Amino acid sequence: MMPGKRRVQILVPEEASTEMKKIKDSKMPGKRKMKILVPEEESTEIKKVKVSHPSHRSQPGLVLTLGQGNVGQLGLGEDIMERKKPALVTLPEMVVQVEAGGMHTVCLSQTGKIYTFGCNDEGALGRDTSAEGSESSPGLVELQEKVVQVSAGDSHTAALTEDGSVFVWGSFRDNNGVIGLLEPMKTSTIPVLLQLDTPVVKIVSGNDHLVMLTVDGDLFTCGCGEQGQLGRVPALFASRGGRRGLQRMLVPQLVPVRGRGRRSKMRFQDAFCGAYFTFAVTHEGHIYGFGLSNYHQLGTQDTEPCFSPQNLTCFKNSTKSWVGFSGGQHHTICVDSEGKAYSLGRAEYGRLGLGAGAEEKSTPTVIPELPSIVSVACGASVGYAVSSDGECQGLGALPSVLSSFLHPALHTITAHCQLGWDWSQVLVPIFWGQLGSFCSDAFVGSRVGHEVLIRRGLLA
């Protein structure tokens, strides 16, 4: 025993256990107090930060659909197989974003709730549809968190919450069929959380792949990588992951992109998807791409797929920075900050908007006769460009009766529109001028002939 030794008092944060706040040693009286500082990041109370990105929508509106509804993707009930004119979808609240998947539709409400309708064979709706006819009407996805963005592919759906978490449901597929969602060959009919260490600020889906942009400017991808659309799986392992199996594809992993210096790391500010390819914009404004480019839809000079990110120098021709990309199956439409819309890739069926007789393009080519453009969108064989004054220009794969639409044709459309169909399935022209004006955005699905609109106010 050592009499006369002074006591030591250790002070810890208030949220710690009461037993750890004070430590007294009766055998060591008189010892001076010592304060131990605990870093804020080690606090048991972790502060959640709300994520934000320019792609997050906030303008509420009504939802209208038209086109094919054979699997309920119009949301108008099981008796409606087709609509040639837009019809109002009955929803309990206003909607800020709509995404058209391959055979399903996803609606995000202004309160952060998700409503889905359409084909649920592989769980893309994220909810129970055992009741007869429940697939063809909007139903709520049970998710406690507030959602700020959704994306949809052929058979999968993803949701981004306000704290940067990502939930997914449904399944990814490749050329041989289902590959699974988070685990090989396993689909999910309810939302499941992706395990990521960094908050995500934007999500975007191709047909069967998902791209996530983090708050740190990194890209994470998962899903099918057969055409290089993941940007991180070599061609040797692109078919179901090689020896490592499908886990290589399904577990979200970082897309490695080096900067100019050996140790520098490329940071991205935005990401976009085509059906089988991906675009990403760096903080410096450089454009990177990876995936299918068999018709030069990435802007590469050759037609080989890119299995790792490529610096797409062809996009340096614009006088301003690039603000939007959208890709179909074999073509791309993009817009710069000057309001000019460009197209590249496959030219058949008029999808480039460059007129009859146009050939495929390996570099961005200005689409003529368009006003100032703020947003672009692609379906499998169609493109759309929305002007700053709310008018929608349509160009795409049209039947012979619509041959006059090979040049961009003027269509006035509704307030906040999300377009989601393949014009190759449409047999008669749709006169959009009946619906009103001021369209602020456009998004087009890929596989089945249905479309979705969001509109402010009442129907015209």
Side-chain angles (χ1 to χ4, degrees), residues 6-19:
R6 289 170 294 188
R7 291 186 295 176
V8 177
Q9 185 172 6
I10 301 177
L11 303 180
V12 297
E14 293 181 1
E15 61 269 25
S17 170
T18 55
E19 296 181 0

Side-chain angles (χ1 to χ4, degrees), residues 11-128:
L11 303 180
V12 297
E14 293 181 1
E15 61 269 25
S17 170
T18 55
E19 296 181 0
M20 295 298 296
K21 286 184 178 179
K22 296 181 180 179
I23 300 178
K24 296 183 179 180
D25 189 347
S26 59
K27 297 182 180 180
M28 299 181 180
K31 192 163 186 178
R32 290 176 297 182
K33 296 179 181 179
M34 180 182 298
K35 183 182 286 187
I36 296 179
L37 300 178
V38 179
E40 292 183 2
E41 61 268 21
E42 293 181 10
S43 171
T44 56
E45 193 73 24
I46 300 177
K47 294 182 180 180
K48 292 185 177 181
V49 179
K50 292 184 179 180
V51 299
S52 63
H53 190 271
S55 62
H56 298 174
R57 307 298 170 187
S58 59
Q59 181 177 312
L62 303 174
V63 176
L64 301 91
T65 58
L66 71 155
Q68 294 181 356
N70 55 312
V71 291
Q73 64 268 46
L74 295 182
L76 303 175
E78 56 184 334
D79 296 329
I80 306 298
M81 296 290 102
E82 183 182 14
R83 286 287 301 190
K84 294 181 180 179
K85 293 184 179 181
L88 180 66
V89 178
T90 302
L91 286 161
E93 52 184 319
M94 301 289 274
V95 169
V96 296
Q97 184 192 356
V98 171
E99 291 293 321
M103 293 188 290
H104 72 292
T105 304
V106 184
C107 304
L108 175 62
S109 77
Q110 61 181 344
T111 62
K113 297 179 181 179
I114 300 175
Y115 299 87
T116 59
F117 44 92
C119 181
N120 198 33
D121 290 351
E122 294 171 14
L125 299 188
R127 59 182 176 88
D128 180 23

